[in-house]
Amino acid sequence: MSSSDAPLPAEPIAFDIDLTGHEMTRRAHVMAALGDDWDPVAALRGEEEAYDLLYSGLDAEQQRLYDALVAAGVLPRR
């Protein structure tokens, strides 16, 4: 009887991997890369300012398309 003819196990084999330690290490590396002077509130404020600038000054067709994307839930309502 070859290995390809061997019967399959009747019960599934439990296969668990705990990635908790790896995730904590990954998060520590991310925080170290951001540095001590990283300000999440300022970063979010900067993103909001960038979006405001991005969607300002739209012509009529661009505004229509933007409104359609907002109505469809593709872009958040601002």
Side-chain angles (χ1 to χ4, degrees):
M1 179 181 240
S2 71
S3 62
S4 63
D5 295 332
L8 296 174
E11 295 293 322
I13 299 171
F15 185 75
D16 298 328
I17 299 176
D18 184 3
L19 297 175
T20 305
H22 175 73
E23 178 62 13
M24 295 307 292
T25 301
R26 185 194 68 79
R27 288 181 186 191
H29 287 294
V30 168
M31 295 307 293
L34 289 171
D36 294 335
D37 60 343
W38 179 64
D39 181 359
V41 174
L44 288 174
R45 191 176 304 118
E47 282 188 31
E48 289 297 319
E49 291 170 1
Y51 279 118
D52 290 343
L53 185 59
L54 178 65
Y55 296 117
S56 67
L58 301 178
D59 65 28
E61 177 62 16
Q62 292 168 330
Q63 187 65 51
R64 184 195 64 73
L65 187 58
Y66 172 80
D67 293 339
L69 291 171
V70 169
V74 175
L75 293 174
R77 188 166 307 280
R78 301 187 61 77

